[in-house]
Amino acid sequence: IPALILMVIIIGIQNILGLDIKKIGTNVTITQKSFWIIQAILYASYNLILVIPVLINLKKFLKNKNQIKLITIGVGIAMCLMSMLIFLLLVNVDTNFSNLEMPIIYVIENKFSVFKFVYGIIILTAIFTTAISVGIAFLNNVCQKKNSFPQIATILCITSILVSPIGFSNLVNSLFPMFGYLGIVEI
């Protein structure tokens, strides 16, 4: 995560330094979506389905409310900064990226190709570490006994292999609404 944050900041600053303000958003198409607030809530709750099990396991490391407040403030500032940098990257693109699975990879490949290899390694590492942390959190919350970890982990791995050919964007498009509503129930 620190490497990913650093990479977004480096690329974001390089983008800002080379930004032509007159061309920002010239290729952006704004569509009228009347349910944007519902989509935002669903997206947040969709992501919380993955975060809550991990946070439950982190509670033993957080000792007092001051730690929680500082972490929350730090994460909030980092997320706002990265969101602004990513937004400026995406509005400075010369194509319609709505049909791309990962628009940031397109931007890096076409505008910052020097970082393509490093960013690829960072993304693969982030995917791998996220899968492991969410998998361990799931096992800790589902398994009553530690000796059932191997069986459940095997089922998780097999399921992941079977689902992976569907593709990231197809999975998100099909599971996003369902998991979004489940996330609201979980909250």
Side-chain angles (χ1 to χ4, degrees), residues 17-35:
L17 295 175
L19 202 60
D20 184 1
I21 295 175
K22 295 176 204 162
K23 292 185 178 181
I24 289 180
T26 55
N27 294 313
V28 175
T29 305
I30 299 173
T31 58
Q32 293 292 331
K33 296 226 177 183
S34 57
F35 299 110

Side-chain angles (χ1 to χ4, degrees), residues 104-154:
I104 291 297
I105 291 178
Y106 173 84
V107 171
I108 290 173
E109 186 174 343
N110 290 291
K111 291 194 172 266
F112 304 100
S113 59
V114 173
F115 297 111
K116 186 168 59 172
F117 181 74
V118 173
Y119 191 75
I121 290 172
I122 291 171
I123 289 296
L124 285 174
T125 305
I127 290 169
F128 185 69
T129 56
T130 301
I132 289 174
S133 63
V134 170
I136 294 296
F138 176 79
L139 290 171
N140 283 333
N141 290 315
V142 169
C143 297
Q144 303 299 330
K145 299 175 185 171
K146 299 284 184 192
N147 61 359
S148 62
F149 266 41
Q151 294 86 4
I152 303 295
T154 302

